[in-house]
Short mmCIF file of all heavy atoms in Angstrom, two decimals:
data_model
loop_
_atom_site.label_atom_id
_atom_site.label_comp_id
_atom_site.label_asym_id
_atom_site.label_seq_id
_atom_site.Cartn_x
_atom_site.Cartn_y
_atom_site.Cartn_z
N LEU F 1 5.90 35.62 77.66
CA LEU F 1 7.26 36.13 77.78
C LEU F 1 7.75 36.16 79.18
O LEU F 1 7.01 36.35 80.18
CB LEU F 1 7.20 37.57 77.31
CG LEU F 1 6.81 37.87 75.77
CD1 LEU F 1 6.54 39.35 75.58
CD2 LEU F 1 7.84 37.30 74.82
N ALA F 2 9.04 35.93 79.32
CA ALA F 2 9.82 36.06 80.48
C ALA F 2 11.03 36.95 80.26
O ALA F 2 11.52 36.99 79.14
CB ALA F 2 10.19 34.71 81.01
N TRP F 3 11.58 37.55 81.35
CA TRP F 3 12.63 38.46 81.32
C TRP F 3 13.76 37.96 82.20
O TRP F 3 13.47 37.69 83.35
CB TRP F 3 12.20 39.84 81.62
CG TRP F 3 13.25 40.84 81.91
CD1 TRP F 3 14.19 41.26 81.00
CD2 TRP F 3 13.57 41.52 83.08
NE1 TRP F 3 15.10 42.22 81.50
CE2 TRP F 3 14.69 42.38 82.84
CE3 TRP F 3 13.04 41.56 84.34
CZ2 TRP F 3 15.26 43.24 83.84
CZ3 TRP F 3 13.64 42.29 85.36
CH2 TRP F 3 14.66 43.17 84.95
N LEU F 4 15.01 37.88 81.67
CA LEU F 4 16.10 37.46 82.50
C LEU F 4 16.53 38.64 83.44
O LEU F 4 17.13 39.63 82.88
CB LEU F 4 17.31 36.97 81.66
CG LEU F 4 18.48 36.37 82.50
CD1 LEU F 4 18.05 35.03 83.15
CD2 LEU F 4 19.67 36.09 81.70
N ALA F 5 16.15 38.66 84.59
CA ALA F 5 16.34 39.78 85.54
C ALA F 5 17.83 40.06 85.75
O ALA F 5 18.61 39.18 86.17
CB ALA F 5 15.70 39.59 86.85
N GLY F 6 18.25 41.33 85.37
CA GLY F 6 19.67 41.70 85.55
C GLY F 6 20.55 41.23 84.41
O GLY F 6 21.68 41.66 84.39
N GLY F 7 20.04 40.41 83.50
CA GLY F 7 20.84 40.03 82.45
C GLY F 7 21.92 38.94 82.73
O GLY F 7 22.01 38.50 83.85
N PHE F 8 22.65 38.62 81.75
CA PHE F 8 23.80 37.68 81.98
C PHE F 8 24.77 38.15 82.95
O PHE F 8 25.49 37.33 83.47
CB PHE F 8 24.40 37.35 80.57
CG PHE F 8 23.53 36.56 79.56
CD1 PHE F 8 23.31 37.07 78.35
CD2 PHE F 8 22.86 35.41 79.96
CE1 PHE F 8 22.52 36.42 77.44
CE2 PHE F 8 22.07 34.74 79.07
CZ PHE F 8 21.83 35.24 77.81
N SER F 9 24.98 39.37 83.10
CA SER F 9 25.96 39.89 83.91
C SER F 9 25.77 39.50 85.45
O SER F 9 26.62 39.55 86.22
CB SER F 9 26.10 41.47 83.91
OG SER F 9 24.88 42.05 84.42
N LYS F 10 24.53 39.06 85.79
CA LYS F 10 24.20 38.65 87.11
C LYS F 10 24.20 37.17 87.34
O LYS F 10 23.95 36.63 88.37
CB LYS F 10 22.73 39.15 87.50
CG LYS F 10 22.49 40.62 87.49
CD LYS F 10 23.44 41.31 88.47
CE LYS F 10 23.16 42.84 88.54
NZ LYS F 10 24.02 43.41 89.53
N CYS F 11 24.56 36.43 86.20
CA CYS F 11 24.58 34.97 86.31
C CYS F 11 25.91 34.48 87.05
O CYS F 11 26.91 35.18 86.99
CB CYS F 11 24.35 34.33 84.95
SG CYS F 11 25.80 34.43 83.83
N ALA F 12 25.82 33.29 87.46
CA ALA F 12 27.00 32.68 88.15
C ALA F 12 27.46 31.42 87.31
O ALA F 12 26.72 30.98 86.49
CB ALA F 12 26.78 32.33 89.59
N ASP F 13 28.66 31.01 87.46
CA ASP F 13 29.05 29.76 86.79
C ASP F 13 28.11 28.66 87.05
O ASP F 13 27.69 28.42 88.17
CB ASP F 13 30.45 29.34 87.30
CG ASP F 13 31.56 30.36 86.87
OD1 ASP F 13 31.24 31.21 86.04
OD2 ASP F 13 32.69 30.26 87.38
N GLY F 14 27.62 28.05 86.04
CA GLY F 14 26.66 26.90 86.23
C GLY F 14 25.19 27.22 86.10
O GLY F 14 24.38 26.34 86.00
N ASP F 15 24.81 28.52 86.06
CA ASP F 15 23.49 28.96 85.84
C ASP F 15 22.95 28.48 84.58
O ASP F 15 21.78 28.04 84.40
CB ASP F 15 23.30 30.43 86.08
CG ASP F 15 23.28 30.88 87.51
OD1 ASP F 15 23.30 30.00 88.36
OD2 ASP F 15 23.47 32.13 87.78
N PHE F 16 23.82 28.49 83.54
CA PHE F 16 23.43 27.95 82.16
C PHE F 16 24.53 26.91 81.99
O PHE F 16 25.68 27.07 81.93
CB PHE F 16 23.58 29.07 81.19
CG PHE F 16 22.55 30.17 81.32
CD1 PHE F 16 22.80 31.27 82.13
CD2 PHE F 16 21.31 30.00 80.71
CE1 PHE F 16 21.84 32.25 82.18
CE2 PHE F 16 20.36 30.99 80.88
CZ PHE F 16 20.55 32.17 81.65
N ALA F 17 23.94 25.66 81.61
CA ALA F 17 24.81 24.48 81.51
C ALA F 17 25.72 24.52 80.35
O ALA F 17 26.85 23.90 80.46
CB ALA F 17 23.87 23.23 81.50
N ASP F 18 25.37 25.02 79.21
CA ASP F 18 26.17 24.80 78.08
C ASP F 18 26.51 26.15 77.45
O ASP F 18 25.84 26.68 76.54
CB ASP F 18 25.36 23.96 77.05
CG ASP F 18 26.23 23.35 75.98
OD1 ASP F 18 27.48 23.68 75.93
OD2 ASP F 18 25.73 22.69 75.07
N VAL F 19 27.60 26.75 77.88
CA VAL F 19 28.08 28.12 77.46
C VAL F 19 29.29 27.91 76.54
O VAL F 19 30.15 27.08 76.85
CB VAL F 19 28.49 29.00 78.71
CG1 VAL F 19 29.04 30.34 78.20
CG2 VAL F 19 27.31 29.14 79.60
N GLU F 20 29.33 28.59 75.50
CA GLU F 20 30.48 28.51 74.55
C GLU F 20 31.03 29.95 74.31
O GLU F 20 30.32 30.94 74.39
CB GLU F 20 30.04 27.94 73.25
CG GLU F 20 28.84 28.61 72.54
CD GLU F 20 28.33 27.81 71.31
OE1 GLU F 20 29.00 26.82 70.90
OE2 GLU F 20 27.25 28.27 70.74
N GLY F 21 32.26 29.96 73.95
CA GLY F 21 32.96 31.30 73.68
C GLY F 21 34.19 31.38 74.57
O GLY F 21 34.47 30.62 75.48
N GLU F 22 34.92 32.50 74.35
CA GLU F 22 36.24 32.70 75.07
C GLU F 22 36.03 33.27 76.40
O GLU F 22 36.99 33.25 77.25
CB GLU F 22 37.10 33.63 74.18
CG GLU F 22 36.54 35.03 74.07
CD GLU F 22 37.31 35.84 73.14
OE1 GLU F 22 38.18 35.37 72.48
OE2 GLU F 22 37.13 37.10 73.24
N SER F 23 34.84 33.89 76.80
CA SER F 23 34.71 34.58 78.02
C SER F 23 33.63 33.83 78.86
O SER F 23 32.90 32.98 78.39
CB SER F 23 34.23 36.01 77.67
OG SER F 23 33.79 36.70 78.88
N LYS F 24 33.69 34.17 80.13
CA LYS F 24 32.54 33.73 80.99
C LYS F 24 31.26 34.51 80.51
O LYS F 24 31.43 35.69 80.11
CB LYS F 24 32.79 34.00 82.39
CG LYS F 24 33.81 33.04 82.94
CD LYS F 24 33.94 33.17 84.54
CE LYS F 24 34.87 32.21 85.12
NZ LYS F 24 34.81 32.19 86.57
N LEU F 25 30.16 33.97 80.63
CA LEU F 25 28.89 34.62 80.20
C LEU F 25 28.71 35.99 80.97
O LEU F 25 28.21 36.94 80.26
CB LEU F 25 27.68 33.71 80.39
CG LEU F 25 26.39 34.01 79.70
CD1 LEU F 25 26.60 34.11 78.21
CD2 LEU F 25 25.34 33.01 80.03
N GLN F 26 28.99 35.96 82.19
CA GLN F 26 28.77 37.26 82.90
C GLN F 26 29.73 38.33 82.58
O GLN F 26 29.49 39.51 82.98
CB GLN F 26 28.82 36.95 84.44
CG GLN F 26 30.04 36.27 84.96
CD GLN F 26 29.96 34.78 84.98
OE1 GLN F 26 29.50 34.16 84.05
NE2 GLN F 26 30.41 34.23 86.09
N TYR F 27 30.77 38.05 81.88
CA TYR F 27 31.78 39.13 81.54
C TYR F 27 31.69 39.39 80.03
O TYR F 27 32.47 40.21 79.51
CB TYR F 27 33.24 38.59 81.83
CG TYR F 27 33.41 38.37 83.24
CD1 TYR F 27 34.28 37.34 83.65
CD2 TYR F 27 32.81 39.08 84.27
CE1 TYR F 27 34.57 37.06 85.05
CE2 TYR F 27 33.01 38.77 85.62
CZ TYR F 27 33.93 37.84 85.90
OH TYR F 27 34.14 37.52 87.23
N ALA F 28 30.76 38.86 79.23
CA ALA F 28 30.76 39.07 77.87
C ALA F 28 30.45 40.46 77.37
O ALA F 28 30.74 40.76 76.26
CB ALA F 28 29.65 38.08 77.22
N THR F 29 29.80 41.28 78.21
CA THR F 29 29.50 42.66 77.81
C THR F 29 30.73 43.58 77.98
O THR F 29 30.72 44.68 77.49
CB THR F 29 28.41 43.22 78.59
OG1 THR F 29 28.82 43.19 80.01
CG2 THR F 29 27.14 42.48 78.52
N ILE F 30 31.77 42.96 78.59
CA ILE F 30 32.96 43.85 78.88
C ILE F 30 33.94 43.79 77.71
O ILE F 30 34.36 42.72 77.36
CB ILE F 30 33.72 43.45 80.16
CG1 ILE F 30 32.69 43.51 81.31
CG2 ILE F 30 34.85 44.28 80.50
CD1 ILE F 30 33.17 42.95 82.56
N GLY F 31 34.35 44.93 77.22
CA GLY F 31 35.36 44.96 76.13
C GLY F 31 36.23 46.21 76.26
O GLY F 31 36.22 46.91 77.20
N GLY F 32 37.00 46.38 75.25
CA GLY F 32 37.91 47.56 75.22
C GLY F 32 38.89 47.56 76.30
O GLY F 32 39.37 46.51 76.86
N ALA F 33 39.18 48.76 76.90
CA ALA F 33 40.09 48.84 78.01
C ALA F 33 39.58 48.23 79.18
O ALA F 33 40.39 47.73 80.02
CB ALA F 33 40.34 50.40 78.29
N SER F 34 38.21 48.15 79.30
CA SER F 34 37.67 47.46 80.53
C SER F 34 37.98 45.95 80.48
O SER F 34 38.22 45.29 81.55
CB SER F 34 36.11 47.61 80.47
OG SER F 34 35.76 49.03 80.61
N TYR F 35 38.11 45.43 79.29
CA TYR F 35 38.45 43.97 79.16
C TYR F 35 39.77 43.75 79.64
O TYR F 35 40.14 42.68 80.36
CB TYR F 35 38.20 43.53 77.71
CG TYR F 35 38.45 42.03 77.59
CD1 TYR F 35 37.57 41.10 77.89
CD2 TYR F 35 39.62 41.64 76.92
CE1 TYR F 35 37.80 39.78 77.78
CE2 TYR F 35 39.90 40.22 76.78
CZ TYR F 35 38.99 39.38 77.13
OH TYR F 35 39.29 37.95 76.95
N ILE F 36 40.73 44.61 79.24
CA ILE F 36 42.15 44.42 79.70
C ILE F 36 42.24 44.49 81.12
O ILE F 36 42.93 43.72 81.88
CB ILE F 36 43.00 45.54 79.00
CG1 ILE F 36 43.01 45.33 77.48
CG2 ILE F 36 44.48 45.43 79.59
CD1 ILE F 36 43.64 46.49 76.69
N PHE F 37 41.48 45.51 81.82
CA PHE F 37 41.46 45.63 83.22
C PHE F 37 40.91 44.45 83.85
O PHE F 37 41.44 43.96 84.89
CB PHE F 37 40.71 46.90 83.58
CG PHE F 37 40.59 47.20 85.07
CD1 PHE F 37 41.86 47.47 85.72
CD2 PHE F 37 39.50 47.26 85.79
CE1 PHE F 37 41.84 47.85 87.05
CE2 PHE F 37 39.47 47.63 87.11
CZ PHE F 37 40.64 47.85 87.78
N LEU F 38 39.84 43.86 83.33
CA LEU F 38 39.20 42.61 83.83
C LEU F 38 40.26 41.53 83.83
O LEU F 38 40.31 40.72 84.80
CB LEU F 38 37.95 42.27 83.07
CG LEU F 38 37.32 40.84 83.30
CD1 LEU F 38 36.87 40.80 84.76
CD2 LEU F 38 36.31 40.62 82.30
#
């Protein structure tokens, strides 16, 4: 087993080559009013 230290929120563009979805991976945990602010 290995653990991604700090989670996806600590990643930068390019750390993972093939990302899909409407958001950047590091911002995917952000939703609700926080997402609007972002």
Side-chain angles (χ1 to χ4, degrees):
L1 297 172
W3 169 63
L4 187 68
F8 292 126
S9 66
K10 299 298 184 183
C11 74
D13 294 347
D15 284 346
F16 294 90
D18 198 358
V19 176
E20 54 187 355
E22 63 182 17
S23 169
K24 289 188 176 185
L25 195 57
Q26 55 267 46
Y27 300 146
T29 59
I30 301 174
S34 297
Y35 181 76
I36 298 172
F37 185 59
L38 171 64

